[in-house]
Amino acid sequence: MENPTKLEQQLCFEVYKASSNFSKMYARALEPFNLTFSQYLVLLVLWDEHELLSKDIGERLGLGTGTLNPIIKRMIDNGHLSKKQSEKDKRAFVISLTEKAKNDQSSIEQAVFEKVESCNFMGVNAITLMENLKELNAAFKTMNL
């Protein structure tokens, strides 16, 4: 590496740009469903689990309550989620998918798949890239960032 202080030599900058571009790509795919990228991530968690405490959703996504609660509120307002008080802990809330969110799952997944597939990633090995990013994030986690 010639000059580690140059912007173009910064791994963090390339990761930042890729993240931003992924967000834009997903935003275009999700727009017909009136969903943001963050809301899509919440749906992904709940399509796996069907209902979870809001704090558990936040832990899975790495989001604090201050960030997650407005996302959940908008999704409730848009008819994708429902919220009820936990029977085990009156301070906690259980977040569930609505029938609308369940019924839209395959359409949303198809729209996202088509958008990702249309990018073709010009020979980038997506599996290797994902494995490398998971290793990187695991390393960051051990650093207690």
Side-chain angles (χ1 to χ4, degrees):
M1 196 176 299
E2 291 177 22
N3 186 347
T5 60
K6 283 193 170 245
L7 181 62
E8 296 79 21
Q9 298 296 318
Q10 301 295 311
L11 175 62
C12 62
F13 184 59
E14 290 304 320
V15 170
Y16 166 78
K17 287 191 316 185
S19 175
S20 177
N21 287 323
F22 266 107
S23 294
K24 289 174 190 173
M25 179 182 68
Y26 276 80
R28 287 188 202 107
L30 298 167
E31 186 177 24
F33 303 98
N34 196 27
L35 291 167
T36 65
F37 180 63
S38 299
Q39 291 170 344
Y40 172 68
L41 295 177
V42 170
L43 285 177
L44 286 175
V45 169
L46 289 170
W47 284 332
D48 283 344
E49 304 283 336
H50 300 291
E51 70 175 31
L52 284 171
L53 293 174
S54 55
K55 72 177 185 91
D56 294 332
I57 296 170
E59 287 174 11
R60 289 268 316 266
L61 296 175
L63 298 175
T65 56
T67 302
L68 183 61
N69 285 340
I71 294 168
I72 289 174
K73 182 182 180 328
R74 281 192 304 273
M75 293 180 77
I76 291 169
D77 293 345
N78 288 337
H80 291 103
L81 301 179
S82 64
K83 176 178 167 180
K84 66 180 178 184
Q85 196 170 36
S86 170
E87 293 176 12
K88 296 177 184 173
D89 180 354
K90 298 299 181 193
R91 299 166 297 167
F93 290 93
V94 176
I95 308 300
S96 309
L97 294 169
T98 62
E99 287 305 311
K100 174 183 178 172
K102 292 174 188 175
N103 293 336
D104 286 348
Q105 181 177 355
S106 63
S107 298
I108 294 168
E109 288 174 339
Q110 183 65 33
V112 168
F113 175 79
E114 288 172 5
K115 184 59 78 176
V116 170
E117 188 178 55
S118 73
C119 292
N120 193 15
F121 292 114
M122 302 170 285
V124 171
N125 186 329
I127 293 170
T128 302
L129 178 59
M130 185 177 301
E131 288 171 358
N132 290 340
L133 290 171
K134 284 182 178 184
E135 289 174 17
L136 180 63
N137 285 322
F140 281 135
K141 190 173 184 177
T142 63
M143 294 170 63
N144 294 320
L145 297 179

